[in-house]
Amino acid sequence: MLIANRGEIAVRIIYALKELGIESVAVYSEADENSLHVMLANYAIRIGPPASKSSYLNMKNIISAAEISGADAIHPGYGFLAENPEFAEMCRDHNITFIGPPPEAIRAMGDKIEAKRIMKKAGVPVVPGSDDPISSLEEGLNIAKEIGFPIIIKAAAGGGGRGMRLVRDESEFTNAFLSASNEALNAFGDARVYIEKYLEKPRHIEIQLLGDMHGNMVYLGERECSIQRRHQKIIEEALSPALSEEKRRWLGEVAVKGAKAIGYYSAGTMEFLMDKDGNIYFIEMNTRIQVEHPVSEMITGIDIVKEMILIAMGEKLRYKQEDIKFNGHSIEARITAEDPERNFTPTAGKIDFVHKPGGPGIRVDSHIYSGYSIPPYYDSLIAKLIVWDKDRISAISRLKRALEEFVIRGEGIKTTIPLHLKIIEDERFKKGDIHTGFIESILKLDNI
Amino acid sequence: MKIKKDLVIEIIEDSYTIYDPIEDRLISLNLSASLIFEWILKNKEINDMIKEYAKIYEISQEKAKEDIYGVIEELKKEGVIVND
């Protein structure tokens, strides 16, 4: 099997392949010649220069590498080509098994508006709002009143914040609607807008799904991923401290129903936002393995990467929903080579010394080693520190111990370890009182 | 000119990818470079290449010559074509 990826996820997939007795083929760019995945795989093929578009995103070279090496399957990992339906189709055309969902499901979920329509039809709750673009003030006001303020007005034709207005009450509506429409017209040549319920301080909660090609699907509980910075998750945990058992079951069943509606199989994640009143709304589905999958593995004992491979081989799911038990609590800290003191600027260079924490309940998914040079071309994730313990408070305590033990030393190398310590020592975090704006509030209070 | 020995040559989506196992290097050619590479594989005469290339792309023979020699130079640089 060929792994069309790099870094920690390539290493993670190789571990699963080794345990299944399957030979692995690594692909690598010129910048990754000394990467761990290249050393651990049975075979390795250099596919191009450092730039991702010439190497890890070069579909032809990757397919060619699979054919040359005799690999009959490709695991795309996450990022790069993992959610590219053309690549999944290309694999199918070349009789190579794509370790992931069918291209039709990737495509359906790739179009965010279409995904919302499909999920709404399947009975999955979506953020209330207008189904179609609005062009009249009166229609807009009626919808806004119906869904209740605060609402957000968004340009139908574009993004990037242009043509977007937050409206807290009815008195602000007319001005906001007209100026948003005008801005949208100037920016995109289309004055039409959408209206959506504005969720204040929402939590990000997602359901891990696993389904086979025979119509069987289970949910492996939820992950709480509210600790984010600019939509980039920083800390994830399973389970969420905000869901009751009843709500968990309901959300899991809703997610299974939604995924089945698109003929989904393989591992996938349905993402939701939960408002402060506990209402939950679908935002999108990620049709791949997630960075944060280990926390679900830690509490269920299920190896999601191995399951993806077995599912792609046509095997039936080995678990029924009643077999899935949630045990203890797990937290993952994404450690990136970034300097929090310099607005999270990525840092690259040689790591002179690494010491990874150990002891009970500690797992480190990483591709770094002493002497490894972090290339400047790719994502700055260098390690995922995952802890498990019997309950949330014990897991936080274990994470603190492990973060303090983790050493990554090298000239000019900075990491987000101090930020993680700051977050987990915050009383609100300890209480589980978190939302997607939490990091910003921490950074405002204290420059790390 | 001739193609280096022991290369693994694949056609993926109508164009060529070439793997050099000694150098562990994989390069993919675009459609026009693939056409020229195919002609080189078939030992087509350079003058015939120029005429046919100019006809296919509706360009002058002078421009066709420039393009073909450009691709040949690139392939030499990548070690795919070696001198006789």
Side-chain angles (χ1 to χ4, degrees):
Chain A
M1 183 180 299
L2 183 142
I3 302 122
N5 217 301
R6 64 176 300 281
E8 70 82 21
I9 193 63
V11 172
R12 169 70 185 89
I13 296 165
I14 292 169
Y15 290 160
L17 291 174
K18 280 184 188 288
E19 289 176 18
L20 287 169
I22 299 170
E23 284 194 317
S24 54
V25 180
V27 292
Y28 65 100
S29 75
E30 283 165 19
D32 275 337
E33 200 165 356
N34 297 314
S35 273
L36 196 56
H37 76 288
V38 177
M39 298 180 215
L40 292 177
N42 297 91
Y43 309 96
I45 295 182
R46 187 165 58 162
I47 49 164
S52 300
K53 69 174 172 49
S54 309
S55 50
Y56 299 107
L57 289 171
N58 188 329
M59 294 194 268
K60 281 184 192 172
N61 279 13
I62 289 169
I63 295 286
S64 187
E67 295 204 335
I68 287 161
S69 61
D72 51 16
I74 295 181
H75 197 307
Y78 53 70
F80 295 126
L81 297 168
E83 289 179 284
N84 185 323
E86 282 81 33
F87 182 64
E89 271 165 359
M90 207 166 159
C91 288
R92 189 151 73 183
D93 293 347
H94 287 263
N95 291 320
I96 294 168
T97 303
F98 178 78
I99 310 291
E104 295 76 19
I106 301 175
R107 188 167 279 121
M109 293 298 101
D111 178 336
K112 302 304 169 201
I113 293 171
E114 185 57 20
K116 265 182 82 174
R117 274 188 218 278
I118 293 169
M119 289 304 150
K120 193 174 176 184
K121 205 174 156 196
V124 179
V126 299
V127 179
S130 52
D131 292 330
D132 297 301
I134 298 161
S135 37
S136 95
L137 178 64
E138 194 189 350
E139 186 192 359
L141 185 58
N142 285 338
I143 290 171
K145 280 184 186 168
E146 200 183 307
I147 61 178
F149 290 93
I151 56 108
I152 191 155
I153 304 172
K154 292 177 178 174
R162 283 182 295 178
M164 198 181 276
R165 294 288 184 283
L166 171 63
V167 187
R168 294 201 173 273
D169 58 53
E170 196 179 330
S171 68
E172 296 173 7
F173 188 81
T174 304
N175 275 347
F177 185 90
L178 295 175
S179 64
S181 294
N182 196 33
E183 197 172 295
L185 180 65
N186 288 333
F188 312 113
D190 183 350
R192 294 173 311 154
V193 292
Y194 280 100
I195 289 179
E196 228 175 59
K197 178 86 182 157
Y198 177 69
L199 305 179
E200 280 185 283
K201 298 185 174 177
R203 301 177 84 110
H204 177 118
I205 289 172
E206 59 187 35
I207 297 285
Q208 175 66 57
L209 297 166
L210 208 49
D212 65 19
M213 295 175 186
H214 309 280
N216 305 302
M217 188 171 286
V218 293
Y219 60 91
L220 304 183
E222 79 281 6
R223 293 185 288 258
E224 164 97 45
C225 311
S226 299
I227 305 295
Q228 309 181 349
R229 182 182 168 269
R230 294 185 181 165
H231 303 291
Q232 193 71 39
K233 295 162 191 166
I234 292 180
I235 289 181
E236 303 99 340
E237 52 188 310
L239 298 164
S240 166
L243 287 196
S244 64
E245 252 185 66
E246 193 188 352
K247 196 111 185 174
R248 175 167 304 124
R249 196 176 315 115
W250 169 79
L251 191 59
E253 284 168 5
V254 156
V256 166
K257 204 168 138 194
K260 279 189 171 178
I262 54 163
Y264 199 86
Y265 57 78
S266 191
T269 298
M270 208 165 280
E271 298 193 331
F272 299 88
L273 288 179
M274 183 165 101
D275 69 16
K276 51 184 192 282
D277 300 319
N279 301 305
I280 297 183
Y281 308 106
F282 167 82
I283 44 171
E284 63 177 18
M285 184 172 184
N286 291 325
T287 54
R288 56 170 161 82
I289 188 80
Q290 297 270 105
V291 176
E292 60 272 27
H293 75 275
V295 291
S296 300
E297 293 182 329
M298 298 296 268
I299 61 154
T300 59
I302 293 173
D303 184 322
I304 298 171
V305 177
K306 267 191 201 170
E307 294 301 326
M308 283 180 87
I309 295 165
L310 296 172
I311 288 165
M313 287 162 70
E315 289 201 14
K316 278 190 178 171
L317 210 57
R318 295 177 293 164
Y319 312 92
K320 289 194 163 41
Q321 194 58 52
E322 57 266 29
D323 301 327
I324 312 294
K325 306 283 180 225
F326 307 123
N327 179 28
H329 195 88
S330 182
I331 310 177
E332 174 183 279
R334 292 192 195 191
I335 297 167
T336 53
E338 291 174 329
D339 186 354
E341 283 183 3
R342 291 177 56 219
N343 200 25
F344 293 84
T345 311
T347 61
K350 191 178 172 190
I351 297 172
D352 297 319
F353 178 74
V354 176
H355 169 74
K356 294 172 188 169
I362 304 283
R363 166 177 166 181
V364 180
D365 282 17
S366 174
H367 57 291
I368 62 168
Y369 55 87
S370 297
Y372 172 74
S373 284
I374 304 169
Y377 309 101
Y378 313 109
D379 188 88
S380 53
L381 180 71
I382 51 171
K384 300 186 316 201
L385 172 57
I386 305 121
V387 301
W388 178 93
D389 211 328
K390 60 186 186 300
D391 55 45
R392 189 169 184 270
I393 288 299
S394 310
I396 292 171
S397 172
R398 182 163 279 172
L399 180 58
K400 181 174 184 291
R401 190 266 292 171
L403 282 166
E404 284 170 347
E405 191 186 329
F406 212 145
V407 180
I408 302 169
R409 203 179 292 147
E411 202 181 324
I413 307 279
K414 300 273 183 188
T415 77
T416 46
I417 290 175
L419 174 67
H420 285 292
L421 282 165
K422 194 90 204 162
I423 294 166
I424 64 168
E425 281 167 4
D426 188 285
E427 282 307 313
R428 292 167 298 171
F429 179 83
K430 284 181 186 167
K431 283 184 206 155
D433 178 18
I434 50 179
H435 54 84
T436 53
F438 182 84
I439 285 281
E440 276 73 19
S441 72
I442 286 244
L443 294 173
K444 263 181 220 162
L445 290 172
D446 191 343
N447 277 334
I448 294 159
Chain B
M1 69 190 164
K2 62 179 182 184
I3 307 287
K4 188 181 171 182
K5 275 183 188 169
D6 301 325
L7 294 178
V8 182
I9 298 164
E10 296 269 339
I11 298 177
I12 307 282
E13 307 286 298
D14 300 329
S15 57
Y16 279 91
T17 59
I18 305 156
Y19 179 61
D20 183 341
I22 310 293
E23 296 288 324
D24 185 20
R25 188 198 322 222
L26 203 151
I27 59 164
S28 53
L29 306 182
N30 63 23
L31 273 178
S32 54
S34 289
L35 181 65
I36 296 164
F37 182 68
E38 190 166 84
W39 287 337
I40 297 168
L41 282 173
K42 289 177 181 169
N43 292 319
K44 199 178 179 95
E45 285 293 324
I46 197 89
N47 286 337
D48 293 339
M49 283 190 205
I50 293 168
K51 279 180 204 157
E52 202 166 336
Y53 193 88
K55 201 173 158 190
I56 291 168
Y57 289 100
E58 295 174 344
I59 54 174
S60 68
Q61 288 200 13
E62 199 178 326
K63 177 76 175 84
K65 188 178 174 182
E66 192 184 306
D67 287 359
I68 289 168
Y69 276 102
V71 170
I72 291 169
E73 273 313 303
E74 274 302 310
L75 292 174
K76 277 183 180 170
K77 220 188 299 176
E78 294 287 348
V80 173
I81 290 175
V82 289
N83 289 324
D84 291 320

